[in-house]
Amino acid sequence: MCGIVGYIGGEQAAPFLLTGLQKLEYRGYDSAGVAVYNGTGIHVVKSKGRLSVLDGILQGGEKLPGVVGIGHTRWATHGAPSDVNSHPQVSDGGKFAVVHNGIIENYLELKNHLLRRGIEFVSDTDTEVVAQLLEYYYRGDVLEAISRVTARVEGSYALGIICADCPEKVFAVRKDSPLIVGLGQGENFIASDIPAILSKTRDICRLHDKEIAVLEKDGVQFFNSDMELVEKPVERVQWDVAAAEKGGYEHFMMKEICEQPEALRKTISPRIREGKIVLDDMKLTKEQIEKINKVFIVACGTSYHVGVVAKYAFEKLLKVPMEVDVASEFRYREPILDENTLVIIISQSGETADTLAALREAKKRGARVLSIVNVVGSTIANESDDVLYTWAGPEIAVASTKAYSTQLAVIYLIVLYMAQELGHSPQAEMEAYLEDLQRLPDLAAACLADKKTIQYFASKYFNARDMYFIGRNVDYAASLEASLKLKEISYIHSEAYTGGELKHGPISLLEDGTLVIAICTYGRLFDKMMSNVREVKARGAVVLGITTRDKEESLSQQTDYQFCIPKITDFMLPSLSIIPLQLFAYYVASMKGCDIDKPRNLAKSVTVE
Ligand code: F6R
């Protein structure tokens, strides 16, 4: 949700800012802008539309000389996408330029306060309030002005700031929105995320809430909220640069779909040793596991859908009461939690605002929090009692694929680890589960091998107006995710229902030729799903059925098209059934000419409520 970069050094800032923003465009892409100190003052160029528009205006940065600058790619929250609402926002007197990711919740009150003092505003953004307040409080010391502003604003922010009076410095501060500082040789950087600076440096410092960074060409100083100088540990980023590049694929989404077997291997293999699950990072003791009286899973979007699968696995193996909730609901409920409640928070980015707020709410209410996160060192990871990382590598496409798969893998690891600690399941059963978990990467690769069938099917239905996904038990959980994937990137209206719920209303939507995708991999309820398939076919639906290989023949008697996946432990089935449906969403969107990696109105990391 909005990407920020900043540069100070010996080279031209604008070309770097544009390349850095390109790596962050997944965070927002309705407008972009840069501000560069050009030797005499701050020069701002910004424009509505994709970054390529700005890049064209600046001719790759050539048109904006200067060695100090900040840049922004926007996902609008306050004020429609427009040139004037784009960032950087500049103060009335032109001294300060600011880029911002987050939301200033009390901006109206602050804006009215400044308006009453004759300060003129030009945009509808909350960010302009920060720029204006900085100049309002400025008495010759930028650091002091920043400190006064952060004491007044409420909400979330990552801010990059330059000041015309301090052309040899870039300032940065954050609260509840991510921001890193990159350390180079004779140049330093700020960014919302690592890919933006990876071509320049692997040494980074993470800012904590309300810490301020002051960057100069040859060094960086960090201050805490009391304006005391602090030392920050330097982290060496281990990523392969290629991991954040398309590597020959047309879209990040297809690359990430194809990376799933490898991501699964990296997430699972190191955690199974000598026939046992070993979770080195888990501090939760056997005694604490024994005392767990209830498990909540809280997350948003795709990560929430992982929770829906998890519910079936937890209930089956651990016989523990379980609730799954979307974070934006959970945070405003009155959930009943105590010190024996385990709250599992799932987040790819580790920065999702609602999920973070839910985590804090859970902790406030005394629960223990275990999080499943992909981004190392993210806020959710830092604030949890336990963290288990998914080793998916950077996920750049807005539509989540490999994060979903690896989050599921971590759920299986947690469930099996707890079952192992509690000694609930017979040894032979546990061995069979572990064997299946280890086979998962190869089985995922097998599902990916048959792209052609799905491509052909997509070519027949990419013009559909609506689609329905049905399933029962874990197949219902996979239906939710498959439906989300399709709608978010192809803009086709789609819904997911449990097979049994159809006749309570949605079946009235079916017409001759409506496409229904029936996920029928869960053996115990296969016959029930076949009844549902017959019901929808009787209303004229065309049905694509997905099942396991052993059921292919029975399925083909009832459905128009079939896709088969290998057989595996029941609760792991969504890890395989989702793969053809991720591919289906991709091919449909591609045939419709949609912008697959950057679907309209969406952004990768939702750091605002
Ligand atoms: C959908 C998608 C989103 C995210 C959701 C949560 O493809 O990517 O629904 O899953 O915004 O994001 P994280 O997992 O980063 O908390």
Side-chain angles (χ1 to χ4, degrees), residues 539-551:
R539 271 85 189 169
V542 176
V543 180
L544 164 67
I546 299 198
T547 194
T548 47
R549 286 197 185 122
D550 54 317
K551 294 276 195 320

Side-chain angles (χ1 to χ4, degrees), residues 340-356:
N340 294 323
T341 310
L342 178 67
V343 175
I344 302 182
I345 296 281
I346 309 178
S347 176
Q348 186 284 129
S349 60
E351 302 291 348
T352 302
D354 281 320
T355 313
L356 177 59

Side-chain angles (χ1 to χ4, degrees), residues 299-305 345-353 355-356 372 374-375 380 395 397-401 403 407 481 484-485 488-489 602-606:
C300 299
T302 289
S303 300
Y304 164 75
H305 294 157
I345 296 281
I346 309 178
S347 176
Q348 186 284 129
S349 60
E351 302 291 348
T352 302
T355 313
L356 177 59
I372 301 174
N374 193 40
V375 178
I380 288 178
E395 192 181 63
V398 164
S400 181
T401 53
Q407 287 166 349
E481 174 57 8
L484 176 65
K485 257 346 41 124
E488 69 181 326
I489 60 168
L602 293 174
K604 182 75 185 158
S605 173
V606 187

Side-chain angles (χ1 to χ4, degrees), residues 381-403:
N382 284 341
E383 294 195 15
S384 302
D385 298 306
D386 284 294
V387 190
L388 291 174
Y389 284 109
T390 47
W391 298 115
E395 192 181 63
I396 312 283
V398 164
S400 181
T401 53
K402 61 178 180 171

Side-chain angles (χ1 to χ4, degrees), residues 115-416:
L115 282 170
R116 282 195 294 274
R117 275 152 187 80
I119 293 168
E120 285 185 23
F121 281 73
V122 293
S123 80
D124 305 319
T125 65
D126 51 340
T127 306
E128 191 180 358
V129 165
V130 176
Q132 304 286 20
L133 263 189
L134 279 167
E135 185 151 339
Y136 179 71
Y137 284 133
Y138 180 61
R139 302 281 178 275
D141 182 346
V142 180
L143 211 52
E144 194 207 328
I146 293 175
S147 159
R148 292 193 66 180
V149 170
T150 54
R152 282 302 304 271
V153 297
E154 286 162 18
S156 58
Y157 50 81
L159 296 166
I161 301 163
I162 56 174
C163 172
D165 286 354
C166 285
E168 71 298 340
K169 287 183 177 138
V170 170
F171 301 86
V173 61
R174 64 151 267 183
K175 180 180 161 278
D176 294 343
S177 290
L179 197 63
I180 55 163
V181 174
L183 308 171
Q185 298 291 327
E187 52 185 2
N188 291 302
F189 319 87
I190 56 167
S192 301
D193 198 0
I194 294 167
I197 55 168
L198 209 50
S199 63
K200 290 283 199 176
T201 182
R202 286 173 175 276
D203 292 332
I204 63 156
C205 293
R206 293 180 194 273
L207 282 186
H208 289 145
D209 274 1
K210 296 212 172 173
E211 278 180 347
I212 303 175
V214 182
L215 287 77
E216 293 182 75
K217 183 171 172 288
D218 293 311
V220 182
Q221 286 187 313
F222 297 95
F223 298 86
N224 64 18
S225 52
D226 295 324
M227 292 301 108
E228 293 159 347
L229 210 54
V230 286
E231 288 280 322
K232 302 273 311 166
V234 179
E235 207 179 294
R236 181 105 186 128
V237 177
Q238 301 299 345
W239 288 9
D240 174 4
V241 179
E245 306 286 345
K246 279 193 204 149
Y249 287 89
E250 202 178 332
H251 299 101
F252 277 111
M253 183 176 176
M254 182 52 98
K255 178 180 179 243
E256 289 161 7
I257 290 175
C258 294
E259 281 172 350
Q260 289 179 109
E262 193 47 29
L264 283 168
R265 203 163 283 120
K266 284 188 181 149
T267 302
I268 298 167
S269 301
R271 288 162 167 153
I272 303 183
R273 290 181 227 146
E274 292 165 13
K276 285 197 138 251
I277 302 216
V278 184
L279 300 178
D280 288 327
D281 316 322
M282 182 86 118
K283 297 191 286 290
L284 199 64
T285 62
K286 184 168 185 249
E287 291 66 41
Q288 285 168 319
I289 295 174
E290 276 164 354
K291 283 193 192 148
I292 292 174
N293 55 14
K294 185 155 189 180
V295 178
F296 279 83
I297 296 201
V298 186
C300 299
T302 289
S303 300
Y304 164 75
H305 294 157
V306 172
V308 184
V309 179
K311 182 173 163 70
Y312 297 105
F314 268 81
E315 287 179 349
K316 183 177 164 66
L317 260 75
L318 301 175
K319 317 274 180 246
V320 61
M322 166 112 203
E323 269 193 56
V324 187
D325 206 354
V326 287
S328 53
E329 285 297 309
F330 178 90
R331 63 181 290 189
Y332 294 119
R333 274 169 67 187
E334 305 242 337
I336 299 159
L337 318 172
D338 63 29
E339 71 278 10
N340 294 323
T341 310
L342 178 67
V343 175
I344 302 182
I345 296 281
I346 309 178
S347 176
Q348 186 284 129
S349 60
E351 302 291 348
T352 302
D354 281 320
T355 313
L356 177 59
L359 178 158
R360 289 175 178 165
E361 186 61 31
K363 288 195 83 170
K364 203 169 84 192
R365 288 170 179 266
R368 190 176 172 95
V369 173
L370 160 64
S371 66
I372 301 174
V373 176
N374 193 40
V375 178
V376 175
S378 53
T379 312
I380 288 178
N382 284 341
E383 294 195 15
S384 302
D385 298 306
D386 284 294
V387 190
L388 291 174
Y389 284 109
T390 47
W391 298 115
E395 192 181 63
I396 312 283
V398 164
S400 181
T401 53
K402 61 178 180 171
Y404 174 77
S405 293
T406 51
Q407 287 166 349
L408 279 179
V410 174
I411 284 290
Y412 308 150
L413 284 162
I414 294 173
V415 175
L416 294 175

